[in-house]
Amino acid sequence: MDSTFLSALSLFPRQNVSLAAIRFLSDILVISHVEDVVTEQRAYEMLKKDPNLLKKVENLLRFGDINFDQLFAIDRDATQQAELDPGLIDQLQRSRGQYSLMATHKVNGSDGLVMSWLTEKGESQGTQKMLLLAPYIIKIIETGGILIIDEFEAKLHTRLSREMVAMFNSAIGNPNNAQFLFATHDTNLLDHKLLRRDQIDFVEKGEDRASIVYSLSDVKGIRKEADFESDYLGGSYGAVPNVTDFNIAILED
């Protein structure tokens, strides 16, 4: 008789195996579409409801050279009755969801603080992505959970990507042993000073176009101080696209 994994575990109630499995799975956070409205709104809602988290996000961004005087999470529904500048009301109405972000900062030539919108068109896409990811990263670090992000480095400077990966590998930055699993095309992250061989997996297409996953630790003959990035791009580890001359492809009849 076929049964699910959790159903089979429930046959061992004394050990509470099924409850432990459920708790483990509940600690896994998967972000497959960073630009998804639901992902964005959950992040902004966390910032609105948790002032301490908002301060931690401000601090994290500051260390990433993204500086604001003060960051605000705005609840559109809660501000409908407030007396706001017509321009701010218009921005709120055009936001993608119930929650938006604003900040104060100084502009050259101005003595006072200027309010700016940080969602949609207000900031660069890289800054917007950091604002969205930061709440999730901090929460996972605090709880010791598992964070899975697809293409997490897209629109981010490689130094920001490296610093986030390094934080998860640090006993100081990650005291609760949270785990970070991500898919990336940023070969700058292939560095033995940043990641161990057993922390790096490659995905290669087989002859039948099916994906084959294998660890760098399974590749034989790698020197201790090997340049992972250079060797990978040179084809030593496989999983490199078989790209040929695009000029020929365009000119051929």
Side-chain angles (χ1 to χ4, degrees), residues 40-41 45 74-78 92 95-100:
E40 173 198 271
Q41 288 297 300
E45 182 180 10
I74 307 296
D75 183 341
R76 181 173 61 189
D77 294 345
L92 280 172
S95 62
R96 299 207 302 173
Q98 180 178 348
Y99 300 95
S100 296

Side-chain angles (χ1 to χ4, degrees), residues 22 33 57 61 63 66 76 79-80 87 95 129 141 179 207 215 221 234:
I22 292 172
H33 301 289
V57 167
L61 293 174
F63 277 86
I66 302 174
R76 181 173 61 189
T79 56
Q80 285 182 345
S95 62
K129 185 169 183 178
I141 290 287
Q179 298 183 57
E207 294 182 357
S215 173

Side-chain angles (χ1 to χ4, degrees), residues 136-147:
Y136 292 113
I137 291 172
I138 292 171
K139 281 293 187 182
I140 288 293
I141 290 287
E142 290 179 339
T143 61
I146 300 173
L147 177 62

Side-chain angles (χ1 to χ4, degrees), residues 41-175:
Q41 288 297 300
R42 285 176 179 170
Y44 297 167
E45 182 180 10
M46 286 192 289
L47 295 177
K48 177 60 180 176
K49 294 183 176 180
D50 188 346
N52 187 48
L53 177 62
L54 185 63
K55 289 295 182 184
K56 290 183 178 180
V57 167
E58 286 182 316
N59 197 42
L60 181 66
L61 293 174
R62 194 171 296 113
F63 277 86
D65 197 26
I66 302 174
N67 296 296
F68 307 113
D69 286 279
Q70 191 170 359
L71 186 63
F72 300 91
I74 307 296
D75 183 341
R76 181 173 61 189
D77 294 345
T79 56
Q80 285 182 345
Q81 305 301 322
E83 295 183 2
L84 298 176
D85 180 273
L88 297 182
I89 295 176
D90 180 62
Q91 286 279 11
L92 280 172
Q93 294 302 321
R94 290 191 289 126
S95 62
R96 299 207 302 173
Q98 180 178 348
Y99 300 95
S100 296
L101 295 184
M102 294 184 68
T104 57
H105 62 92
K106 285 190 176 182
V107 177
N108 290 337
S110 174
D111 296 330
L113 294 176
V114 177
M115 296 290 291
S116 68
W117 289 90
L118 304 179
T119 54
E120 286 85 32
K121 302 177 181 179
E123 284 289 337
S124 70
Q125 292 187 346
T127 297
Q128 290 180 43
K129 185 169 183 178
M130 280 296 296
L131 285 163
L132 187 149
L133 288 181
Y136 292 113
I137 291 172
I138 292 171
K139 281 293 187 182
I140 288 293
I141 290 287
E142 290 179 339
T143 61
I146 300 173
L147 177 62
I148 303 175
I149 303 179
D150 184 26
E151 301 285 0
F152 99 98
E153 88 296 343
K155 302 176 183 177
L156 296 180
H157 193 282
T158 189
R159 289 196 63 182
L160 284 172
S161 302
R162 285 182 62 94
E163 204 55 42
M164 281 192 281
V165 174
M167 179 173 62
F168 277 90
N169 270 343
S170 168
I172 298 174
N174 185 15

